[in-house]
Amino acid sequence: MKKIFAISVICMMAASTSIAASLNWWEQSTVCKLDPTKCYATMGAGFDRELWDNKTGCWGMKMICPDALTSGADIPVAVSRTDIEDGKNISPDFDTDILNGDCFGVRKTSNNGAMASVNGEYVRVWCNGILDSDDVDAYLENGEITYGNPPTCAELAKYGYIATVDNNCYGKYYDMAKYYIECNGNDILPSRIIVLNGADYSTRPGNAPVDESAADKMFDSMQSLSESQREIYFTND
């Protein structure tokens, strides 16, 4: 019985040796292998496949767009997957999972693209042409943003705009021949929008009331005149 067991063990070892010999050396179980879960499964546009990522032990690195980097680079930079996950040298205002041409990094937006992240806070994306060219700090798909103070209500109203959403950007236009935009101090939104109905808001009639008391007298007079005219022309037969 012992002889039979010994022969079985020898046969198993021989079979194992034969199987191992049939495999390539790098495929054998005794060879240490890289953990593929740390590497990119696929690499297309925005990747450099020829670069070796020392931190993950993988071939291939993401090219991050200059605007998405905090280092002030002028061209896309290859960044380790570990550094991207840790946010090292990556601006929190950008999403490095989105391809932007030949590199990764698109500014984070909300409200259908009408708001954009700047220094961790969301600001208005102004429709193209609303901001003065000197105030534009970045151009986005839906419009422009400024890192400084946004325009005031009065500055916008000068050209017929108010700071409300117009599709997917801010800067809704009102025809200045039909509407008057009334601003209150430095508030960004108007206090009210007046429908002109053909009136010229830029000039005041000579008999316009100067205070509330004068206005009351004018309306009382108008009411009295209206009642007298009704008695003349709308009598009951």
Side-chain angles (χ1 to χ4, degrees), residues 138-181:
Y139 297 91
L140 278 64
E141 182 179 358
N142 295 339
E144 307 159 343
I145 59 175
T146 176
Y147 299 156
N149 295 325
T152 64
C153 173
E155 290 171 338
L156 293 169
K158 184 178 179 180
Y159 300 101
Y161 291 99
I162 63 172
T164 57
V165 175
D166 184 11
N167 294 322
N168 51 13
C169 58
Y170 279 82
K172 189 171 182 180
Y173 178 73
Y174 283 81
D175 188 343
M176 298 176 68
K178 300 178 181 179
Y179 301 92
Y180 174 65
I181 302 171

Side-chain angles (χ1 to χ4, degrees), residues 121-143:
E121 298 182 357
Y122 281 88
V123 302
R124 289 176 173 84
V125 176
W126 299 98
C127 300
N128 292 319
I130 301 296
L131 298 176
D132 291 336
S133 58
D134 294 338
D135 295 330
V136 178
D137 291 304
Y139 297 91
L140 278 64
E141 182 179 358
N142 295 339

Side-chain angles (χ1 to χ4, degrees), residues 3 29 42 48 55 70 80 90-91 102 104 114 123 126 160 172-173 189 198 201 213 229:
K3 290 181 180 180
S29 60
T42 58
D48 190 323
K55 293 189 176 182
T70 59
S80 168
I90 303 294
S91 170
D102 59 354
F104 285 88
V123 302
W126 299 98
K172 189 171 182 180
Y173 178 73
L189 291 174
Y201 66 88
S213 177
Q229 293 297 309

Side-chain angles (χ1 to χ4, degrees), residues 1 23 33-34 38 41 51-52 69 73 77 79-80 89-90 106-107 109 113 120 124 160 177 179 206 215 218 237:
M1 187 69 179
L23 294 174
K33 299 180 178 65
L34 297 174
K38 296 181 180 180
L51 292 177
W52 175 255
L69 299 169
V77 175
V79 181
S80 168
N89 194 29
I90 303 294
V106 174
R107 189 178 292 274
T109 60
R124 289 176 173 84
Y179 301 92
M218 176 177 286
D237 295 333

Side-chain angles (χ1 to χ4, degrees), residues 30-125:
T30 55
V31 176
C32 295
K33 299 180 178 65
L34 297 174
D35 183 0
T37 60
K38 296 181 180 180
C39 305
Y40 294 112
T42 58
M43 288 182 287
F47 288 89
D48 190 323
R49 306 180 189 181
E50 306 301 321
L51 292 177
W52 175 255
D53 189 342
N54 290 320
K55 293 189 176 182
T56 58
C58 302
W59 285 106
M61 297 178 72
K62 258 186 180 181
M63 304 300 295
I64 305 301
C65 299
D67 290 341
L69 299 169
T70 59
S71 60
D74 296 325
I75 58 174
V77 175
V79 181
S80 168
R81 184 173 183 174
T82 301
D83 289 342
I84 294 174
E85 292 173 352
D86 294 342
K88 185 177 180 181
N89 194 29
I90 303 294
S91 170
D93 295 324
F94 286 78
D95 188 339
T96 54
D97 289 330
I98 302 178
L99 185 65
N100 185 10
D102 59 354
C103 56
F104 285 88
V106 174
R107 189 178 292 274
K108 297 175 183 177
T109 60
S110 64
N111 293 7
N112 196 30
M115 301 287 288
S117 180
V118 175
N119 296 327
E121 298 182 357
Y122 281 88
V123 302
R124 289 176 173 84
V125 176

